[in-house]
Amino acid sequence: MATTRMLHAAAAVCAVAVALCAGGIGASPAGCRKHVKKITDYGAVGDGTTTNTAAFAKAVAELSRCADDGGAALVVPAGKWLTGPFNLTSHFTLFLDHGAEILASQNMEDWPLIAPLPSYGRGRDEPGPRYSNFIAGSNLTDVIITGNNGTINGQGQVWWDKYHAKELTYTRGYLLELLYSDNIIVSNVTFVDSPSWNLHPTYCTNVTISGVTILAPVHSPNTDGIDPDSSSHVKIEDCYIVSGDDCIAVKSGWDQYGIKFNMPSQHIVIRRLTCISPTSAMIALGSEMSGGIQDVRAEDNVAINTESAVRIKSGVGRGGFVKDVFVRGLSLHTMKWVFWMTGNYGQHPDNSSDPRALPEVTGINYSDVFAENVTMAGRMEGIPNDPYTGICISNVTAQLAPDAKKLQWNCTDVKGVTSDVSPKPCPELRAAGKPCAFPEEELVIGPPELPKCTY
Ligand SMILES: *[C@@H]1O[C@H](CO)[C@@H](O)[C@H](O)[C@H]1NC(C)=O
Ligand SMILES: *[C@@H]1O[C@H](CO)[C@@H](O)[C@H](O)[C@H]1NC(C)=O
Ligand SMILES: *[C@@H]1O[C@H](CO)[C@@H](O)[C@H](O)[C@H]1NC(C)=O
Ligand SMILES: *[C@@H]1O[C@H](CO)[C@@H](O)[C@H](O)[C@H]1NC(C)=O
Ligand SMILES: *[C@@H]1O[C@H](CO)[C@@H](O)[C@H](O)[C@H]1NC(C)=O
Ligand SMILES: *[C@@H]1O[C@H](CO)[C@@H](O)[C@H](O)[C@H]1NC(C)=O
Ligand SMILES: *[C@@H]1O[C@H](CO)[C@@H](O)[C@H](O)[C@H]1NC(C)=O
Ligand SMILES: *[C@@H]1O[C@H](CO)[C@@H](O)[C@H](O)[C@H]1NC(C)=O
Ligand SMILES: *[C@@H]1O[C@H](CO)[C@@H](O)[C@H](O)[C@H]1NC(C)=O
Ligand SMILES: *[C@@H]1O[C@H](CO)[C@@H](O)[C@H](O)[C@H]1NC(C)=O
C-alpha cells in the first residue's frame, strides 16, 4: 500500500513537471522517454560564462521523479553550458544536440570531495578522498547519454597544469563515472579534455559505448579513453580515441583493496576502435587488475602512432588474474611494440601490498595482425617464478621501421606458442603451427539497441 501511494505521489510530481513544459511533449516513439525537458527550462544560459550548476541539479532532481512514469530526457540544445559536476538519475537520457557543449567548471571550489573507490582504497593520484567526477551516478539503471554528437568538455588544462606542478592535494575527477549501475548506453557524443580518465564505468553491468569520440592532447596526463573497471558485459564499438594515456584500459581494483573487493571485469567486447596514443596502449589490461580480468574479446581494431597494441600490465602485489583474452584483427601503423606484456608495472597504493599476491596471467590469444613501421615486435616480460602462460600468437606480419631494434623479440618468464609469425619469435614462444582460437559464439550484451528518439 505504501509503495502504491508513493508511486502515485511520484507520478503526480512528475505530471506537474510535465505541465511546466510549455508547448507539450508531442508523441514520442515507443521506447523513447515520455517526459522531455530542456536545460533552459531550468534557467540555464548557454553563453559559456554563466555557471549552470544549479540548473543541472534542479533538472535532474525534478526529472528523477519521472523514473516510474516513462522516464525523462534532458535536452541540452546548441550553446556552451558551463557547469560544476552533476549527477544523473535512472530511466534518464541526457541528450546533447548538435552544437551543444557542456563545459566543466575550472573553478576547483565547484568540485566537492568524494570518497575513494573501495576497490582502490584511496584516490589514484593521491591518498585520501578525491575530487568529484564531472558527470556521475551511483546505483542507477537505464541511463542513456546521447545526442547528435554534442560535446562534453572537461576543460582539463587547469588540472593538467596543477598535476604537473604537483599542486594537487587530491586525485583529479573523471569526466564520466558511473558506479553500481546497469543498462547504460553512451552513444554519438564527444568527450574532450578530461582532467584525467574520460569514461569510467565501475561495478557496472550491461554497458554499451558506441560511436563515441574522445579527444585529449597526446601529452595530457592520464587522459585514458574508456576504463571499464570491475564491470561486466561491456561493449565498446565504433569509437575514435586520441589520448595522452591508454585508449582503453580494462581494470578491476588496486592491490590489497582490489583483492578484497574481488569484483572482476569480464565479458568485454571491443571492436572497430581507432586509437592514437603515442605514449600508451590501444588497449591495456591493468595495471590495476586485482579483482581479475577475464573474457575480453577485441576485434578489428586500428591503432596509428601508438606505443603498443593490447598490453598486459601487472606486477607483484596485484594478485588477481588476466585470462581468456582474445584478440583478432589488428591493423597497426607506427608502433613501438606490437606485443607488450609487463610483469613489473609498480605503482602501489601504499606500503601494505602483499608481496605474495602474484597475478595469474594465462590464456591470451592473438591472431591476424598486420603492423607496419614497427620498432620492436615483442617485448614479453612475465614475472620471475610466476610466468605468463598459455600465450598464443598466430598470423602476424610486422614490417619493421628503418630504425627498428636488432633484437625483435625479448621474452622472459613467458610461455606459449606461435604460428605464422614474422619476424621469427623468441624460443619461449615455440612454433605450434596452429591458428589461435577466438570464441565462436557472440556475447549477448544488453541493453538492446533503442529506437532512434528525436527530441
Ligand atoms: C552525486 O552523488 C554522490 C552520491 O552518490 C554524492 O556523494 C555527490 O555529492 C553527488 N554530487 C553532486 C554534484 O551532487
Ligand atoms: C549502491 O549499491 C552498493 C552496492 O549494492 C551499496 O553498497 C551502496 O550503499 C549503494 N549506494 C547508494 C548511494 O545507494
Ligand atoms: C563528432 O565530433 C567530433 C569532434 O568535433 C568529430 O571529430 C567527429 O568526427 C564527429 N563525429 C561524427 C560522427 O560526426
Ligand atoms: C548513434 O548513431 C547511429 C548512426 O547514426 C545510430 O544507428 C544509433 O542508433 C545512434 N545511437 C543512439 C543511442 O541513438
Ligand atoms: C613507504 O615506504 C617508503 C620507503 O620504504 C617510505 O619512503 C614511504 O614514506 C612509505 N609510505 C607510506 C605511505 O608509508
Ligand atoms: C591473416 O591476417 C590478415 C590480417 O592481417 C587477414 O587478412 C588474413 O585473412 C589472415 N589469414 C588467415 C589465414 O586467417
Ligand atoms: C615510422 O616511425 C617513425 C618512428 O619510429 C616515425 O618517425 C616515422 O614518421 C614513421 N614513418 C611513417 C611513414 O609513418
Ligand atoms: C630483455 O628483457 C629483459 C627483461 O626485461 C631485460 O633485462 C633485458 O635487458 C632485455 N634485453 C635486451 C637486449 O633488451
Ligand atoms: C588459444 O588458441 C589455442 C590454439 O587454437 C587454443 O589451444 C587455446 O585453448 C586458446 N586459448 C583460449 C584461452 O581459449
Ligand atoms: C543485461 O542485458 C541482458 C540482455 O539484454 C539481459 O538479459 C540481462 O538481464 C541484463 N542484466 C542486467 C543486470 O541488467
Side-chain angles (χ1 to χ4, degrees):
M1 284 298 281
T3 311
T4 315
R5 248 194 332 268
M6 276 160 65
L7 279 178
H8 284 161
V13 177
C14 179
V16 171
V18 172
L20 290 172
C21 180
I25 327 156
S28 304
C32 297
R33 305 301 186 191
K34 184 166 158 194
H35 306 281
V36 181
K37 298 283 273 185
K38 282 190 176 158
I39 192 62
T40 43
D41 297 335
Y42 300 92
V45 180
D47 60 3
T49 54
T50 305
T51 301
N52 295 299
T53 314
F56 277 94
K58 188 163 179 246
V60 173
E62 187 174 297
L63 296 177
S64 70
R65 299 189 199 120
C66 301
D68 296 325
D69 183 40
L74 178 63
V75 176
V76 180
K80 290 181 184 296
W81 310 91
L82 180 67
T83 174
F86 63 95
N87 282 335
L88 304 176
T89 185
S90 292
H91 304 293
F92 179 77
T93 298
L94 179 65
F95 188 94
L96 286 93
D97 213 343
H98 182 71
E101 189 168 12
I102 301 180
L103 297 176
S105 166
Q106 293 186 311
N107 178 358
M108 268 163 217
E109 276 159 26
D110 291 339
W111 297 67
L113 293 177
I114 60 170
L117 292 166
S119 55
Y120 283 70
R122 48 163 278 186
R124 189 60 183 83
D125 302 341
E126 300 290 343
R130 53 193 185 126
Y131 285 106
S132 169
N133 302 292
F134 180 50
I135 300 180
S138 291
N139 307 65
L140 304 183
T141 187
D142 181 18
V143 177
I144 302 176
I145 299 177
T146 189
N148 300 317
N149 201 22
T151 299
I152 295 169
N153 184 340
Q155 305 209 95
Q157 188 71 51
V158 289
W159 297 94
W160 307 331
D161 291 346
K162 283 192 162 34
Y163 176 81
H164 284 308
K166 298 196 171 18
E167 284 172 5
L168 290 173
T169 311
Y170 303 107
T171 295
R172 292 163 287 160
Y174 304 132
L175 205 46
L176 171 67
E177 182 176 87
L178 295 170
L179 305 180
Y180 305 106
S181 297
D182 58 42
N183 296 304
I184 309 297
I185 295 178
V186 184
S187 180
N188 304 338
V189 284
T190 294
F191 294 82
V192 304
D193 293 350
S194 177
S196 180
W197 302 349
N198 277 272
L199 275 60
H200 191 213
T202 307
Y203 323 138
C204 289
T205 309
N206 279 349
V207 180
T208 297
I209 299 169
S210 69
V212 165
T213 303
I214 299 175
L215 306 173
V218 293
H219 294 297
S220 52
N222 311 109
T223 47
D224 298 21
I226 303 171
D227 290 5
D229 203 336
S230 293
S231 288
S232 166
H233 295 88
V234 180
K235 181 163 68 181
I236 299 168
E237 46 185 32
D238 302 305
C239 292
Y240 178 82
I241 303 177
V242 182
S243 80
D245 209 319
D246 303 322
C247 286
I248 291 176
V250 182
K251 300 175 183 288
S252 62
W254 203 9
D255 284 18
Q256 68 274 26
Y257 304 102
I259 294 170
K260 185 165 177 223
F261 199 75
N262 193 27
M263 190 183 279
S265 273
Q266 57 189 347
H267 314 307
I268 314 274
V269 171
I270 302 165
R271 54 192 178 195
R272 298 184 302 270
L273 165 73
T274 301
C275 165
I276 299 176
S277 181
T279 61
S280 299
M282 163 162 68
I283 299 170
L285 307 177
S287 80
E288 308 89 333
M289 39 60 69
S290 303
I293 294 174
Q294 66 186 346
D295 191 16
V296 177
R297 306 176 187 194
E299 235 183 322
D300 300 330
N301 295 304
V302 177
I304 302 157
N305 190 16
T306 293
E307 193 175 48
S308 65
V310 180
R311 180 182 178 195
I312 297 176
K313 309 196 272 194
S314 185
V316 171
R318 287 283 192 272
F321 54 82
V322 179
K323 62 187 181 194
D324 303 335
V325 174
F326 305 94
V327 180
R328 178 168 69 188
L330 290 174
S331 173
L332 309 172
H333 313 271
T334 302
M335 307 293 289
K336 206 158 173 188
W337 296 289
V338 175
F339 299 97
W340 193 10
M341 296 188 180
T342 305
N344 62 345
Y345 196 75
Q347 296 189 358
H348 299 287
D350 50 41
N351 288 347
S352 30
S353 295
D354 179 357
R356 291 161 307 170
L358 299 177
E360 181 195 6
V361 178
T362 191
I364 317 288
N365 279 11
Y366 300 93
S367 62
D368 305 349
V369 178
F370 173 77
E372 59 182 0
N373 203 25
V374 165
T375 307
M376 185 172 176
R379 178 173 171 188
M380 314 291 275
E381 307 166 7
I383 297 175
N385 303 314
D386 178 34
Y388 290 4
T389 62
I391 298 164
C392 183
I393 303 178
S394 67
N395 184 23
V396 175
T397 304
Q399 298 176 351
L400 302 186
D403 63 345
K405 298 264 191 213
K406 250 206 187 99
L407 180 68
Q408 275 300 309
W409 288 85
N410 184 7
C411 303
T412 47
D413 307 301
V414 296
K415 286 182 194 161
V417 294
T418 52
S419 127
D420 199 8
V421 172
S422 165
K424 190 173 184 290
C426 53
E428 289 80 358
L429 303 173
R430 64 186 170 76
K434 201 166 126 194
C436 307
F438 191 97
E440 306 259 316
E441 259 177 55
E442 236 188 85
L443 270 176
V444 178
I445 294 182
E449 284 299 317
L450 288 182
K452 193 144 181 70
C453 307
T454 48
Y455 292 118

